[in-house]
Amino acid sequence: MAGSELGSRLRLTTWGESHGPALGCVLDGFPAGMALSEEDIQVYLDRRRPGRSPVTTARKEADRVEILSGVFEGVTTGTPISLLIRNTDQRSRDYGNLKEAFRPGHADYGYEARYGIRDYRGGGRSSGRETAARVAAGAVCQKLLSECGISVRAFARAIGPVWVPEEGLDPSLALTAPTAMPHAESNERALAFLKECRERGDSAGGVIECRASGLPAGLGDPVFDKLDAGLARAVMSIGAVKAVEIGDGIRASGALGSENNDAFYMDEEGHVRKRTNHAGGILGGISDGSDLVLRAYVKPTPSISQPQDTVTSGGEEISLTIRGRHDPVIVPRAVVVAECMCAFVILDALLSSMTARASYVKDFCKRKREDL
Amino acid sequence: MAGSELGSRLRLTTWGESHGPALGCVLDGFPAGMALSEEDIQVYLDRRRPGRSPVTTARKEADRVEILSGVFEGVTTGTPISLLIRNTDQRSRDYGNLKEAFRPGHADYGYEARYGIRDYRGGGRSSGRETAARVAAGAVCQKLLSECGISVRAFARAIGPVWVPEEGLDPSLALTAPTAMPHAESNERALAFLKECRERGDSAGGVIECRASGLPAGLGDPVFDKLDAGLARAVMSIGAVKAVEIGDGIRASGALGSENNDAFYMDEEGHVRKRTNHAGGILGGISDGSDLVLRAYVKPTPSISQPQDTVTSGGEEISLTIRGRHDPVIVPRAVVVAECMCAFVILDALLSSMTARASYVKDFCKRKREDL
Amino acid sequence: MAGSELGSRLRLTTWGESHGPALGCVLDGFPAGMALSEEDIQVYLDRRRPGRSPVTTARKEADRVEILSGVFEGVTTGTPISLLIRNTDQRSRDYGNLKEAFRPGHADYGYEARYGIRDYRGGGRSSGRETAARVAAGAVCQKLLSECGISVRAFARAIGPVWVPEEGLDPSLALTAPTAMPHAESNERALAFLKECRERGDSAGGVIECRASGLPAGLGDPVFDKLDAGLARAVMSIGAVKAVEIGDGIRASGALGSENNDAFYMDEEGHVRKRTNHAGGILGGISDGSDLVLRAYVKPTPSISQPQDTVTSGGEEISLTIRGRHDPVIVPRAVVVAECMCAFVILDALLSSMTARASYVKDFCKRKREDL
Amino acid sequence: MAGSELGSRLRLTTWGESHGPALGCVLDGFPAGMALSEEDIQVYLDRRRPGRSPVTTARKEADRVEILSGVFEGVTTGTPISLLIRNTDQRSRDYGNLKEAFRPGHADYGYEARYGIRDYRGGGRSSGRETAARVAAGAVCQKLLSECGISVRAFARAIGPVWVPEEGLDPSLALTAPTAMPHAESNERALAFLKECRERGDSAGGVIECRASGLPAGLGDPVFDKLDAGLARAVMSIGAVKAVEIGDGIRASGALGSENNDAFYMDEEGHVRKRTNHAGGILGGISDGSDLVLRAYVKPTPSISQPQDTVTSGGEEISLTIRGRHDPVIVPRAVVVAECMCAFVILDALLSSMTARASYVKDFCKRKREDL
């Protein structure tokens, strides 16, 4: 309730600034008895790490995670999992006019207005670096979801004007291509576009798509904790995201009811299924057993190397030129962040659904008494 | 944390089913000392009420609100404000196959999967009627915001293919036109389109826009309680909303950084201002003093009168025809719901910002001791 | 988080003032599928109701509960259960100097200092009448606990100098005796003592004991949500409670470790048991399978008919005489309140324990998929 | 909501096991702009540190705190304050039968029953070592309270049969005496008693008293977030605490109303005061401006060196002898823990009170707009 916390049954608290000694998170309420190693988490952090490709910042961060609590002999114990990532590339440097200037498109002014003080080094808490902690926590959630047969995967759907088509995707590219686009040709075109952007000292935005399959129907609490409401909050809380949609989303608003409704039918094994999935797997805020589909619309990186008009905290109007190399687009690195946010929200909703019926409670008590 | 609660400093709990005896809410944490009457709330409920126009359901509901607690001699006391709205039009009727059938586009199947039981009368808790309680609570928030110089206003931006233009708006029409469109010509065209829809037994979607002005810069907590994250959750939790965007939103994802960044300048009175507002008044999750702009994309009403394929809870495939008259589009009535959700989130963020600095705390203690 | 809410998985929000039109509560997160009628709740409310005996206030309140939501065809649906109790005996009367005077031992001054306004009629929100809503919610929890084989029962352990002995108790008297003491002789002595008190225009305090049996070991979250911490908060939040102890409690602080430790052994059926129960069923904040034992120490009723020195909100020193008849001791009526608070906390802890292991989550997903 | 979190406006999350690599906490929602150094925290940790005196365990822990975030150039920034304490004395050793045995009086069995796995090294999460994180966070709160003119101080009131008298106290001894008793003679007698205990292989309990002065009247939210309810929860959550009382507490339950009520009067400066303070500074859950008085009753250390009957996780009955040196009484080291818990709860309540009136909100908006 104080800003850096997310979740209900499962509770994530993140902390850390871009250029402080470290950043990390505490994941509380995570179930006991799951095998967990630092390597399980590291593979996710590596997907987010800067410095891998021509389209990401040159900042070098090893982003090695340390598990400080909640795991004993390689297994989760049910107590808070504390994860720590040291900031290694925090060399002291001359921040020049960034100490005073409010960078356009950044949170600088808002922080100053709110707190009267701000850590101007690399954006402090408002830096995209904060998302490393989210990814670390999400990796833990992904492991349990996977053991439950639930898969949550994100990829880049668009960068600037380049859209990945609906068909002919190669999912493995989402993990390996520099753009995180699951489509070789789109990847090439996006890289060319980004090269141009960078040459002009400009930046681009794009779209991240996340898909989850294997969710049982019935996840999501009515009203304010609807599954889509939880996802929207968690994904919108990623720095540069300016819109979130579920299923057909924006397009649904222009469709007719007869087009947008998904007809139900019974499959051969006697399960309820839908013929189409305009709803994106969520109806009335509750999962319907179809694939969950979410898209996040990401604004262009606000740090550009062209000179920009702005003001200082002292009230002076200046022309600001931001030095250093920045991601010309944050979509490729934000893909795993969005994926991890979705995984967290889905696991939290799954835990919540385990207490939804009185019969579950009675069965639990009975089994518990027999076991002890 | 159990689904029907929203907010942090300010806490809203709603309850009630479409065809139960009543519905309502409890608003806890609301500051003491504000004049409040039932009439203050009623004007908001009247904007949401069904039965006003050709484009809304014929269900008759007086939607009279009763204040049951938290107000003494016409003034809020700081204790929970309990608001009650009786359901008057809950005549017992033959629900026919709706007892068993899962209506396409509705939450029926999800509720059954989750709870193993559902109140099938009018959708029970998943009915749009649930939003009356949100409006009642939002009206209370609107009053305090207004006394603080903050205005939050929503209107219909689009219905089906009809979009309200950017210029030439008449805000008063948002309150009086049957479509809630602030543009007479668009209103006419949308009504014509809806008439067609209804004749074909079909329905339409649309877009709601909400604008807030007068917000001080600095509202919103970093990371998960970013102002836009809170708005996204609250607005996405409205039944039929499938996408939420802030400022340029979706369009921002296709823009260049040099286009999307808003330059800061100093106005004549020495206040920090922005030359453009692509950000929609929120940077890094914190209000920047510009107008807040949010759009919600609403799917077409799922209840249509054409026959639809679906299944029953017993696993039978059937063709379902939904009788009765339903809103051919829910946008006009949902406008005030979105507005009230935004007002609630903004007021909660405002209260949070009041404890953001140690100097505020010290000043408070000092003044408090002098007063007592 | 705004004062009138309790619980985590299970969420209770209460509202209402002593002399407002009604009071009530919303119980959210309660599992679906349990049979529930108003009569199930009424039996608990009747135990709290004033006007039953010579030791309670003469105020007449029917305290009839209405279920407004969350129950469909006599069964809980998983959605918020809204419970309403009308205040029937709220005749307008002359509050005389109570409008201005701060009654000693009451919350009047604190409310005025906090809010700058207070509902002076019968104490407003700070009235013991507020606990009717807690009892209504607790009754619902008691029903599910009972179906799970968990019994939670409270009784009066002491009133003034009269203590109920450890042995020779008749539990049924806790429900029928005017003092709620499960011991006929103590009941008589306490009644005689209270008669004296009343004649002197004075009042008495006492001790409530609550015992829960049938709890599986393992309830309670480590650290801040320890089972005893949750119980202490919920019971201390009852108006006149000034101390809470678990098991030997205060006496334990004077014992030696060798006396206070409870030895474990295996019973004939192979279950872990303890030879003694100094711990009161909770070790390290987690239930240990023994009976839970809690005692609440209740101060004497602050409303006495002797004249008392006090001040007014205007800063005048006065001698105040409180008219009307008040409970000379609140223990008998508070017994069911403490019981209901314990039941709520225990059920919430039980729900929390259902997600404590990864294997539970995996089993749940598996069964869920097979069912749908 | 997942066990290791406390607070509402202010939010504390702790993590860490006794013999893991480190332990720590995140303090979120702390106001910006307060000077804070590691030394400010260290002085509190030093009061809790083991190995200082004959009555504490011989375990050597430097308990050096590192501030990892939330402080920039020596000043709090409003973002989460992450505090880390490395465990230095975690040498691998032979745990022998402690791997399997459930130690009497400890949480071992409960953890096993709940999670099916437990970190048996030194009690894991249930170790008293967890409280180091609470002290670190509390030290931060103490600093702001102190700047607001609020003092929160605890001391040992009793150890075994030795009680500190009401009069003739030397507060500085609470910080320096090995027993934390503010009374030289009591300290000597308690040390002699503890020497005996240790020689018999036994342990003792005791009583901690905490007093807070300078609180403005009006802190505490009605109903479930009453100030005493919050204190009771936070203090009861300290491992060995078995009872909590406010003001006269237990004694109040045996008093008459005419004795227990505190008369109000006006002091010379025109402030409302009370002639006595049986209430311990809290009436109806809200601070009344008098000193806050709380006592925690602490059980004897469960780890004793006498052989004890118990069982193993495999269901075998054994005689257990716990080796190593343990605190023969935990009161002296727990004093600062209780103090820190009280400081946290009081500061949280103070922040909450800052939004209690509509006039505060309006004033805040006005000032904010002028400043920006």
Side-chain angles (χ1 to χ4, degrees):
Chain A
M1 301 299 166
S4 287
E5 298 185 330
L6 189 72
S8 170
R9 273 74 180 163
L10 203 62
R11 198 80 179 165
L12 173 63
T13 305
T14 70
W15 55 269
E17 277 82 41
S18 175
H19 284 64
L23 53 83
C25 66
V26 186
L27 182 60
D28 196 9
F30 194 85
M34 186 186 81
L36 182 69
S37 70
E38 287 168 354
E39 193 48 35
D40 290 328
I41 300 169
Q42 198 62 49
V43 293
Y44 282 82
L45 283 171
D46 289 351
R47 289 171 60 194
R48 199 207 74 95
R49 206 173 60 208
R52 287 191 312 168
S53 88
V55 293
T56 60
T57 169
R59 175 172 174 169
K60 292 282 183 300
E61 282 292 356
D63 278 356
R64 296 302 308 177
V65 70
E66 257 186 275
I67 300 175
L68 293 181
S69 69
V71 175
F72 179 56
E73 298 182 341
V75 176
T76 59
T77 60
T79 60
I81 299 172
S82 177
L83 302 174
L84 182 89
I85 299 163
R86 291 273 167 194
N87 286 327
T88 52
D89 186 7
Q90 37 158 167
R91 57 200 152 168
S92 130
R93 65 166 174 103
D94 178 16
Y95 285 91
N97 50 11
L98 290 184
K99 267 174 93 151
E100 305 295 333
F102 299 139
R103 292 168 300 164
H106 279 283
D108 301 345
Y109 172 57
Y111 269 71
E112 187 105 5
R114 181 178 187 79
Y115 297 116
I117 176 181
R118 73 193 160 89
D119 181 346
Y120 50 77
R121 302 164 306 165
R125 182 80 180 133
S126 74
S127 164
R129 209 165 150 58
E130 164 265 324
T131 60
R134 306 186 188 211
V135 170
V140 181
C141 299
Q142 282 280 45
K143 187 144 198 240
L144 182 51
L145 286 176
S146 165
E147 296 186 5
C148 290
I150 297 171
S151 145
V152 183
R153 289 291 163 226
F155 57 88
R157 173 59 80 184
I159 287 177
V162 183
W163 279 75
V164 167
E166 289 294 319
E167 307 290 328
L169 304 190
D170 174 355
S172 69
L173 283 177
L175 300 175
T176 57
T179 57
M181 283 176 152
H183 188 251
E185 191 201 318
S186 302
N187 179 55
E188 291 309 312
R189 288 172 47 220
L191 285 175
F193 171 75
L194 291 169
K195 188 157 172 285
E196 260 180 76
C197 274
R198 171 162 277 174
E199 284 164 7
R200 286 197 309 259
D202 216 330
S203 65
V207 182
I208 297 168
E209 185 165 317
C210 186
R211 291 176 167 267
S213 59
L215 274 73
L219 305 193
D221 277 276
V223 184
F224 300 119
D225 285 341
K226 288 187 167 96
L227 187 54
D228 40 2
L231 290 164
R233 175 196 171 189
V235 171
M236 190 70 98
S237 79
I238 302 170
V241 172
K242 297 299 282 185
V244 177
E245 71 177 353
I246 304 293
D248 283 6
I250 288 138
R251 267 181 304 145
S253 72
L256 297 172
S258 58
E259 297 163 347
N260 189 63
N261 282 351
D262 301 311
F264 289 106
Y265 72 100
M266 303 302 297
D267 76 2
E268 288 170 10
E269 291 165 355
H271 298 303
V272 175
R273 296 283 179 262
K274 284 159 49 200
R275 295 222 180 267
T276 51
N277 188 19
H278 299 293
I282 302 179
L283 281 171
I286 299 183
S287 67
D288 64 14
S290 300
D291 281 6
L292 193 155
V293 181
L294 173 148
R295 270 174 299 274
Y297 292 79
V298 180
K299 75 175 184 180
T301 315
S303 285
I304 58 176
S305 55
Q306 300 177 14
Q308 301 180 83
D309 290 343
T310 192
V311 302
T312 67
S313 49
E316 194 189 356
E317 297 192 336
I318 61 167
S319 173
L320 176 74
T321 303
I322 300 174
R323 287 186 205 87
R325 301 215 319 174
H326 297 88
D327 290 352
V329 66
I330 68 159
V331 166
R333 292 178 59 204
V335 157
V336 68
V337 181
E339 181 181 306
C340 282
M341 285 287 92
C342 291
F344 178 89
V345 172
I346 289 168
L347 181 55
D348 195 24
L350 175 56
L351 297 186
S352 162
S353 69
M354 290 172 66
T355 58
R357 299 190 191 181
S359 59
Y360 300 163
V361 187
K362 285 183 263 186
D363 286 356
F364 175 80
C365 278
K366 194 155 165 279
R367 264 178 297 134
K368 202 77 190 172
R369 274 203 206 88
E370 286 162 3
D371 280 3
L372 296 174
Chain B
M1 301 296 165
S4 288
E5 298 184 330
L6 189 72
S8 171
R9 273 72 179 163
L10 203 62
R11 198 80 177 165
L12 173 63
T13 305
T14 69
W15 56 269
E17 277 81 41
S18 174
H19 285 64
L23 52 84
C25 67
V26 186
L27 182 61
D28 196 10
F30 194 85
M34 185 186 82
L36 182 69
S37 69
E38 288 169 353
E39 193 48 33
D40 290 328
I41 301 169
Q42 198 62 49
V43 292
Y44 282 82
L45 284 171
D46 289 350
R47 287 172 60 196
R48 201 207 72 95
R49 207 173 59 206
R52 288 192 311 171
S53 86
V55 294
T56 60
T57 169
R59 176 172 173 170
K60 292 280 184 298
E61 283 291 356
D63 278 356
R64 295 303 308 178
V65 69
E66 258 186 274
I67 300 175
L68 293 181
S69 69
V71 175
F72 178 56
E73 298 182 341
V75 176
T76 60
T77 60
T79 59
I81 301 172
S82 176
L83 302 175
L84 180 90
I85 300 163
R86 291 275 166 191
N87 286 326
T88 50
D89 187 6
Q90 37 157 167
R91 56 197 153 171
S92 133
R93 65 164 174 105
D94 179 16
Y95 284 92
N97 49 12
L98 289 183
K99 267 173 93 150
E100 305 295 333
F102 298 140
R103 292 168 299 163
H106 279 282
D108 302 344
Y109 173 57
Y111 269 69
E112 186 104 6
R114 181 177 187 79
Y115 296 116
I117 176 181
R118 73 192 160 90
D119 180 345
Y120 51 77
R121 300 165 307 164
R125 182 80 179 134
S126 73
S127 164
R129 209 165 148 59
E130 165 265 323
T131 60
R134 307 186 188 213
V135 170
V140 181
C141 299
Q142 283 280 48
K143 187 144 198 241
L144 182 51
L145 287 175
S146 165
E147 296 186 3
C148 290
I150 297 171
S151 142
V152 183
R153 289 292 163 225
F155 57 88
R157 172 60 79 184
I159 287 177
V162 183
W163 280 75
V164 168
E166 289 295 319
E167 307 290 329
L169 303 191
D170 175 354
S172 70
L173 282 178
L175 301 175
T176 56
T179 58
M181 284 176 152
H183 188 252
E185 189 201 319
S186 301
N187 178 56
E188 291 309 312
R189 287 173 48 221
L191 286 176
F193 170 75
L194 290 169
K195 187 155 175 283
E196 259 181 75
C197 273
R198 171 162 275 174
E199 284 164 6
R200 286 197 309 260
D202 216 332
S203 65
V207 182
I208 297 167
E209 185 165 317
C210 186
R211 291 175 167 267
S213 59
L215 273 72
L219 305 194
D221 277 276
V223 184
F224 300 119
D225 286 340
K226 289 188 165 95
L227 187 54
D228 41 1
L231 291 165
R233 175 195 172 192
V235 171
M236 190 70 99
S237 79
I238 303 170
V241 173
K242 298 299 283 185
V244 177
E245 71 178 353
I246 304 292
D248 283 5
I250 288 138
R251 267 179 305 144
S253 72
L256 297 171
S258 58
E259 298 163 344
N260 189 64
N261 282 351
D262 300 312
F264 289 106
Y265 72 101
M266 303 301 297
D267 75 3
E268 290 169 10
E269 291 164 356
H271 298 303
V272 176
R273 296 283 180 261
K274 286 158 49 201
R275 294 221 181 269
T276 51
N277 190 18
H278 299 293
I282 303 180
L283 282 171
I286 299 183
S287 66
D288 63 14
S290 299
D291 280 5
L292 194 155
V293 181
L294 173 148
R295 272 174 297 276
Y297 292 79
V298 180
K299 73 176 186 181
T301 314
S303 287
I304 56 176
S305 54
Q306 300 176 13
Q308 298 180 84
D309 289 342
T310 193
V311 302
T312 66
S313 50
E316 195 190 355
E317 299 191 334
I318 60 165
S319 174
L320 176 73
T321 303
I322 300 173
R323 285 185 207 87
R325 300 215 321 176
H326 298 88
D327 288 351
V329 65
I330 69 159
V331 166
R333 293 178 58 205
V335 157
V336 68
V337 181
E339 180 181 305
C340 282
M341 286 287 92
C342 291
F344 178 89
V345 171
I346 289 168
L347 181 56
D348 195 24
L350 174 58
L351 297 186
S352 163
S353 69
M354 291 173 65
T355 60
R357 299 189 190 184
S359 59
Y360 300 163
V361 186
K362 284 182 264 188
D363 287 355
F364 175 79
C365 278
K366 193 155 166 282
R367 264 178 297 133
K368 201 78 191 170
R369 272 202 209 87
E370 288 162 3
D371 280 3
L372 294 175
Chain C
M1 301 296 165
S4 289
E5 298 184 331
L6 188 72
S8 171
R9 275 72 180 164
L10 203 62
R11 198 80 176 164
L12 173 63
T13 305
T14 69
W15 55 269
E17 277 81 41
S18 175
H19 285 63
L23 52 83
C25 66
V26 186
L27 182 61
D28 196 10
F30 194 85
M34 186 187 80
L36 182 69
S37 70
E38 288 169 352
E39 192 49 32
D40 291 327
I41 300 169
Q42 199 61 50
V43 291
Y44 282 82
L45 284 171
D46 288 350
R47 288 172 59 196
R48 202 206 72 95
R49 207 173 58 206
R52 284 192 313 167
S53 87
V55 295
T56 59
T57 169
R59 176 172 174 172
K60 292 280 185 299
E61 281 292 355
D63 277 357
R64 296 303 307 178
V65 69
E66 260 185 273
I67 300 175
L68 293 180
S69 69
V71 175
F72 179 56
E73 298 182 343
V75 176
T76 61
T77 60
T79 59
I81 300 172
S82 176
L83 302 175
L84 181 89
I85 299 164
R86 290 274 167 192
N87 286 326
T88 50
D89 186 6
Q90 34 157 173
R91 54 199 153 168
S92 132
R93 65 168 174 102
D94 178 16
Y95 285 91
N97 49 10
L98 290 183
K99 267 174 93 150
E100 305 295 333
F102 299 140
R103 292 169 299 164
H106 278 283
D108 301 345
Y109 173 56
Y111 269 70
E112 186 105 5
R114 181 177 188 79
Y115 297 116
I117 176 182
R118 74 191 157 91
D119 180 346
Y120 51 76
R121 301 166 306 164
R125 182 79 180 133
S126 74
S127 163
R129 212 170 144 58
E130 165 265 323
T131 60
R134 306 187 189 211
V135 170
V140 181
C141 299
Q142 282 280 45
K143 186 144 199 238
L144 182 51
L145 286 176
S146 165
E147 295 186 4
C148 289
I150 296 172
S151 144
V152 183
R153 289 292 163 225
F155 57 89
R157 172 59 81 182
I159 287 177
V162 183
W163 280 76
V164 167
E166 288 295 319
E167 306 291 326
L169 304 190
D170 175 354
S172 70
L173 283 178
L175 300 175
T176 56
T179 58
M181 284 177 152
H183 189 250
E185 191 201 318
S186 303
N187 179 55
E188 291 307 314
R189 288 172 48 219
L191 287 176
F193 171 75
L194 291 170
K195 189 156 172 283
E196 260 180 76
C197 275
R198 172 162 277 174
E199 283 164 8
R200 288 195 309 261
D202 216 330
S203 64
V207 183
I208 297 167
E209 185 164 317
C210 186
R211 291 175 166 268
S213 59
L215 273 73
L219 305 194
D221 277 276
V223 185
F224 300 119
D225 285 341
K226 288 188 167 94
L227 187 54
D228 40 2
L231 291 166
R233 176 195 172 191
V235 171
M236 190 70 99
S237 79
I238 302 171
V241 173
K242 297 299 283 185
V244 177
E245 70 178 354
I246 304 293
D248 282 7
I250 287 139
R251 269 180 303 146
S253 71
L256 297 171
S258 59
E259 297 163 346
N260 189 63
N261 282 350
D262 301 311
F264 288 107
Y265 73 100
M266 302 301 297
D267 76 2
E268 289 170 9
E269 290 165 356
H271 298 303
V272 175
R273 296 283 180 261
K274 284 160 50 200
R275 294 220 182 270
T276 50
N277 190 19
H278 299 294
I282 302 180
L283 282 171
I286 300 184
S287 67
D288 63 15
S290 300
D291 280 6
L292 194 156
V293 181
L294 173 148
R295 272 175 297 274
Y297 292 80
V298 180
K299 74 174 184 182
T301 315
S303 285
I304 56 176
S305 53
Q306 301 176 13
Q308 300 180 84
D309 288 343
T310 194
V311 302
T312 66
S313 49
E316 193 189 356
E317 298 191 338
I318 59 166
S319 173
L320 176 72
T321 303
I322 299 174
R323 288 187 206 85
R325 300 212 323 172
H326 297 88
D327 289 352
V329 64
I330 68 159
V331 167
R333 293 178 57 205
V335 157
V336 67
V337 181
E339 181 181 306
C340 282
M341 286 288 91
C342 292
F344 178 89
V345 172
I346 290 169
L347 181 56
D348 195 23
L350 175 58
L351 297 185
S352 161
S353 68
M354 291 173 64
T355 60
R357 298 190 191 182
S359 60
Y360 300 163
V361 186
K362 285 183 263 188
D363 286 356
F364 175 79
C365 277
K366 193 155 165 280
R367 263 179 298 135
K368 200 78 190 172
R369 272 201 208 88
E370 286 162 2
D371 280 4
L372 296 174
Chain D
M1 303 295 164
S4 289
E5 298 185 330
L6 189 72
S8 170
R9 274 73 178 162
L10 203 61
R11 197 81 179 167
L12 173 63
T13 305
T14 70
W15 55 269
E17 277 81 40
S18 175
H19 285 64
L23 53 83
C25 66
V26 186
L27 182 61
D28 197 10
F30 194 85
M34 185 187 81
L36 183 69
S37 70
E38 288 168 353
E39 193 48 33
D40 291 327
I41 300 169
Q42 198 62 49
V43 293
Y44 282 82
L45 284 171
D46 289 349
R47 288 172 59 196
R48 201 208 72 96
R49 206 174 59 205
R52 287 191 312 166
S53 88
V55 295
T56 60
T57 170
R59 177 172 174 170
K60 293 280 184 301
E61 283 290 357
D63 277 358
R64 297 300 309 175
V65 69
E66 259 185 273
I67 299 175
L68 294 180
S69 69
V71 175
F72 179 56
E73 299 182 340
V75 176
T76 60
T77 60
T79 60
I81 300 172
S82 176
L83 303 175
L84 182 88
I85 299 163
R86 289 274 168 193
N87 287 326
T88 51
D89 186 7
Q90 39 157 167
R91 54 197 154 172
S92 129
R93 65 166 175 105
D94 179 15
Y95 285 92
N97 50 12
L98 289 184
K99 269 174 92 150
E100 305 294 333
F102 298 139
R103 292 168 300 163
H106 278 285
D108 301 346
Y109 172 57
Y111 269 70
E112 186 104 6
R114 181 177 186 79
Y115 296 116
I117 177 181
R118 73 193 159 89
D119 181 345
Y120 51 77
R121 303 165 306 163
R125 182 81 180 133
S126 73
S127 165
R129 214 172 143 55
E130 163 265 323
T131 59
R134 305 187 189 210
V135 170
V140 182
C141 299
Q142 282 280 48
K143 187 145 198 242
L144 183 51
L145 286 176
S146 164
E147 296 186 4
C148 290
I150 297 171
S151 144
V152 183
R153 288 294 164 223
F155 57 87
R157 172 59 79 182
I159 287 178
V162 183
W163 280 75
V164 167
E166 289 294 320
E167 306 291 327
L169 303 191
D170 175 354
S172 70
L173 284 178
L175 300 176
T176 57
T179 57
M181 283 176 152
H183 188 251
E185 190 201 317
S186 302
N187 179 55
E188 290 309 312
R189 288 172 49 217
L191 285 176
F193 171 74
L194 291 169
K195 188 156 172 285
E196 257 180 77
C197 273
R198 174 163 273 175
E199 283 164 8
R200 287 197 310 258
D202 216 331
S203 65
V207 182
I208 297 166
E209 185 164 317
C210 187
R211 288 174 170 270
S213 58
L215 275 73
L219 305 194
D221 276 277
V223 184
F224 300 119
D225 286 341
K226 288 188 166 95
L227 186 54
D228 41 1
L231 291 165
R233 177 196 170 188
V235 172
M236 189 69 99
S237 79
I238 302 170
V241 174
K242 297 299 283 185
V244 178
E245 70 177 355
I246 303 294
D248 283 5
I250 287 137
R251 267 180 305 146
S253 71
L256 296 171
S258 57
E259 298 162 346
N260 189 64
N261 282 351
D262 300 312
F264 288 105
Y265 72 100
M266 303 301 298
D267 75 2
E268 290 170 10
E269 291 166 355
H271 298 302
V272 175
R273 295 284 179 260
K274 284 159 48 199
R275 295 223 180 264
T276 51
N277 189 18
H278 299 293
I282 302 179
L283 281 172
I286 299 184
S287 67
D288 63 15
S290 300
D291 280 7
L292 194 155
V293 181
L294 173 147
R295 272 174 298 275
Y297 292 80
V298 180
K299 74 176 184 180
T301 316
S303 286
I304 57 176
S305 54
Q306 301 176 13
Q308 300 180 83
D309 289 342
T310 192
V311 302
T312 67
S313 51
E316 196 189 352
E317 297 191 336
I318 60 166
S319 173
L320 177 73
T321 304
I322 299 174
R323 287 186 207 85
R325 299 212 323 171
H326 297 88
D327 289 353
V329 65
I330 68 160
V331 165
R333 294 177 57 206
V335 157
V336 68
V337 181
E339 180 180 306
C340 282
M341 286 288 92
C342 292
F344 178 89
V345 172
I346 289 168
L347 181 55
D348 195 23
L350 174 57
L351 298 185
S352 161
S353 68
M354 291 172 64
T355 59
R357 298 191 192 180
S359 59
Y360 300 163
V361 186
K362 283 183 265 188
D363 285 355
F364 175 80
C365 277
K366 193 155 165 281
R367 265 179 297 134
K368 202 78 191 171
R369 273 204 207 86
E370 286 161 4
D371 281 3
L372 296 175

